[in-house]
Amino acid sequence: MDIMQRITYENKKSTDFLLKKHTLVIGYSVIAQSNQGQNVIDLAQNPDTVQEFKEVLSEFGKDNHLDWLKSRQIGAVHNFLSLQEDDRVIVPFPKKFSIFKVTSKPYILKASDVDNADLGFAVKVEPIVEYLSRNDYLNSVMTSKLKNYSASAVLPKNEVTRIIKNSQGKTAIHDFSNTKAAIVDQVTEYISHLNPDEFELLVKYYLDNLGADSTYQPPKNEKHEGNGHIADIDVIAPFTDLGIAIFAQVKHHQDTEIRTGLDQLIAYNNINDDAYKTYVPVKWLVTTASLPEDLLIEARQNQIHVIQNTDFAELLVEQGLKISADVFRKRN
């Protein structure tokens, strides 16, 4: 069982026990020092005697005129006394919290150990993670739990495990990198099933949504006068406000074919269409393959922006585009 346990009661003494003696303590000394002290520990440690535990403490409260010993307090005592070795406890602090692992069964504190403070029960603990930011590591469920007015509350074990894992990787609750990576993997898998023409249309669709004035796909047999014979462009996307036009070569292929797309862009040095001559040309190589370092260097030397491997899938995810059959209906 994992719980949240406050140490605001007898705060200074409770904090000293925790930080200096690795001991988590609670109050209720009137119960601990009575003839029922060990009995309630034994009952709480047995999952089959929960109801008997509640009845014993309820009767104890009546017999000793403890009007404050209501069901909420009884529940808090039970949570604490139910702790077993290796259970985990979150202790809230202002704007922060720490997580401890329980290393002993609950036991009764000696009156001489607490200097007359109202502290009755204790467990030994060791820190797992300390002083984490609530804002960085608690989701809405756990935030509500730690705001609970009760001194104690049972916590979802999977959430405590998640917090510990995130803290070790320094992954804040608002860091969606793992979720994003999973979505990028799915989009990459989707792209892998497209044919080359469909992939070009998907790039065209992305550029349209990026804000291009009107994207254009030159005919496959179009000659590019003044350029090398292999020069080729798959998508042209002018951005009037920026004064640029993206000239994209799109390759849906395996690693062994990537040289071709780069050569086609390098060979394209003259803009034939008067509609685009006033724009600053920006060359893109969009490929599902991965370029080796020597080709990346060559691309940079020729001022070609490379979008490779899963890069394009990541761009689609970041823009949040919805892809439907309409994307693959070719039209300029």
Side-chain angles (χ1 to χ4, degrees), residues 27-35 37 60 64 66 68-69 118-120:
Y28 306 102
S29 60
V30 66
I31 300 172
Q33 302 302 326
S34 74
N35 59 1
F60 181 85
N64 291 276
L66 304 176
W68 52 265
L69 191 58
D118 181 19
L119 297 174

Side-chain angles (χ1 to χ4, degrees), residues 88-221:
R88 297 168 299 189
V89 182
I90 289 184
V91 177
F93 298 98
K95 297 185 179 180
K96 297 184 182 296
F97 65 97
S98 296
I99 305 178
F100 298 87
K101 182 174 76 172
V102 176
T103 59
S104 76
K105 289 186 178 297
Y107 61 92
I108 296 170
L109 288 165
K110 295 178 181 179
S112 58
D113 291 335
V114 299
D115 296 330
N116 297 318
D118 181 19
L119 297 174
F121 299 99
V123 290
K124 292 291 185 180
V125 295
E126 62 181 34
I128 300 175
V129 291
E130 295 185 278
Y131 302 115
L132 298 178
S133 164
R134 295 194 192 197
N135 288 337
D136 287 346
Y137 290 98
L138 295 182
N139 61 19
S140 58
V141 172
M142 295 297 284
T143 296
S144 296
K145 289 283 188 181
L146 264 65
K147 286 183 177 178
N148 193 312
Y149 289 114
S150 297
S152 178
V154 177
L155 302 176
K157 291 184 75 70
N158 63 319
E159 286 297 328
V160 178
T161 299
R162 178 192 59 76
I163 292 169
I164 294 170
K165 182 178 179 181
N166 285 357
S167 69
Q168 291 168 342
K170 301 197 182 304
T171 304
I173 189 66
H174 43 70
D175 184 340
F176 296 101
S177 55
N178 290 336
T179 302
K180 178 184 173 183
I183 297 172
V184 168
D185 287 344
Q186 293 178 18
V187 175
T188 300
E189 175 68 15
Y190 174 84
I191 289 173
S192 71
H193 296 293
L194 300 178
N195 62 45
D197 288 341
E198 290 171 333
F199 188 44
E200 286 182 21
L201 287 168
L202 189 56
V203 173
K204 180 179 183 294
Y205 172 66
Y206 171 76
L207 289 167
D208 279 329
N209 284 272
L210 201 61
D213 300 317
S214 59
T215 52
Y216 172 67
Q217 289 179 279
K220 294 297 182 185
N221 59 355

Side-chain angles (χ1 to χ4, degrees), residues 281-325:
V282 177
K283 295 180 181 181
W284 278 16
L285 174 58
V286 185
T287 174
T288 53
S290 297
L291 272 69
E293 186 61 28
D294 61 325
L295 292 190
L296 286 172
I297 292 172
E298 190 173 348
R300 286 195 292 270
Q301 290 172 340
N302 287 275
Q303 297 182 313
I304 294 170
H305 177 60
V306 176
I307 299 172
Q308 61 174 330
N309 197 6
T310 63
D311 290 349
F312 186 67
E314 188 167 344
L315 290 174
L316 292 177
V317 172
E318 287 177 348
Q319 195 165 340
L321 295 181
K322 295 181 179 179
I323 302 170
S324 68

Side-chain angles (χ1 to χ4, degrees), residues 221-290:
N221 59 355
E222 182 173 290
K223 300 297 181 181
H224 301 287
E225 297 178 7
N227 293 301
H229 71 282
I230 65 168
D232 186 45
I233 296 297
D234 293 319
V235 182
I236 301 174
F239 293 79
T240 301
D241 290 344
L242 298 176
I244 68 170
I246 293 175
F247 294 81
Q249 176 56 236
V250 182
K251 293 296 182 186
H252 189 286
H253 51 28
Q254 300 302 312
D255 292 356
T256 55
E257 303 171 284
I258 57 180
R259 171 84 245 182
T260 303
L262 185 59
D263 286 341
Q264 288 172 321
L265 280 170
I266 292 173
Y268 190 86
N269 289 315
N270 294 287
I271 300 174
N272 302 136
D273 195 321
D274 289 341
Y276 305 114
K277 284 186 176 181
T278 59
Y279 294 91
V280 175
V282 177
K283 295 180 181 181
W284 278 16
L285 174 58
V286 185
T287 174
T288 53
S290 297

